[in-house]
Amino acid sequence: MASSTSSNPLPSGTSVFTTVPDLFFIPEFIFGGLVWTLVASTKVLIANPQGWVMFVSVFCFIFTTLWFLSLLSHPHLSLSFSLQDVVYHSLAAFFYLSAAVVQAYVTISLKSLTSTFFKEYQLDIAAVVMCYVVTLLYALHAVFSTMRWKNSS
């Protein structure tokens, strides 16, 4: 009877903090939380689609937390978890890119009101920058996760 002794492609436990794709979890938490708080702290001055930005930031923050905790707590994850890691981070990058475009649109449309609502305009600019940073982080995580998945299969 032949036994399969292939190594597990995903880390578990504290080794999550030492592998290249999974090192992006902490910046994703930090910058994703910043997007969430920056958008939540602005006033809705005109009819705008910032609800999508809030949905994406809250959803990705919660789901990334759950994914991170599952990597920390499960000692032996299968190859399908490696593929799921690729799929999740690719979708998160796509959703954050769409949220960043929406946030940029809202910020551009508020430019004419900067004399009255300068603080909100600055918060929106910061939210746009953070959205694009988080998009980059999720995209890098997806690329490195894809490389890990391809090397393990």
Side-chain angles (χ1 to χ4, degrees):
M1 196 182 226
S3 67
S4 166
T5 59
S6 65
S7 64
N8 188 2
L10 286 176
S12 62
T14 58
S15 62
V16 171
F17 296 108
T18 61
T19 57
V20 172
D22 302 315
L23 285 175
F24 290 112
F25 274 118
I26 303 304
E28 287 167 1
F29 288 137
I30 293 169
F31 291 110
L34 282 173
V35 170
W36 183 2
T37 55
L38 286 169
V39 173
S41 66
T42 62
K43 295 178 185 173
V44 179
L45 302 173
I46 56 176
N48 63 35
Q50 281 183 316
W52 174 248
V53 180
M54 282 299 292
F55 170 76
V56 168
S57 62
V58 172
F59 175 80
C60 287
F61 188 85
I62 291 171
F63 201 85
T64 301
T65 302
L66 293 174
W67 190 255
F68 181 70
L69 292 175
S70 72
L71 286 177
L72 283 175
S73 62
H74 288 83
H76 37 26
L77 297 172
S78 66
L79 186 63
S80 67
F81 266 84
S82 185
L83 179 59
Q84 291 171 8
D85 190 43
V86 172
V87 169
Y88 167 66
H89 284 95
S90 299
L91 284 174
F94 175 74
F95 284 153
Y96 253 110
L97 179 62
S98 68
V101 169
V102 166
Q103 186 64 34
Y105 170 76
V106 169
T107 303
I108 290 170
S109 65
L110 289 177
K111 188 173 183 178
S112 62
L113 303 173
T114 57
S115 61
T116 309
F117 300 104
F118 187 67
K119 180 183 174 193
E120 283 75 17
Y121 184 65
Q122 288 179 321
L123 290 171
D124 281 333
I125 290 173
V128 169
V129 171
M130 292 302 128
C131 272
Y132 281 112
V133 168
V134 176
T135 301
L136 178 65
L137 289 170
Y138 275 111
L140 288 173
H141 198 145
V143 167
F144 285 117
S145 293
T146 303
M147 290 172 28
R148 177 173 58 194
W149 173 62
K150 286 293 187 184
N151 290 336
S152 66
S153 56

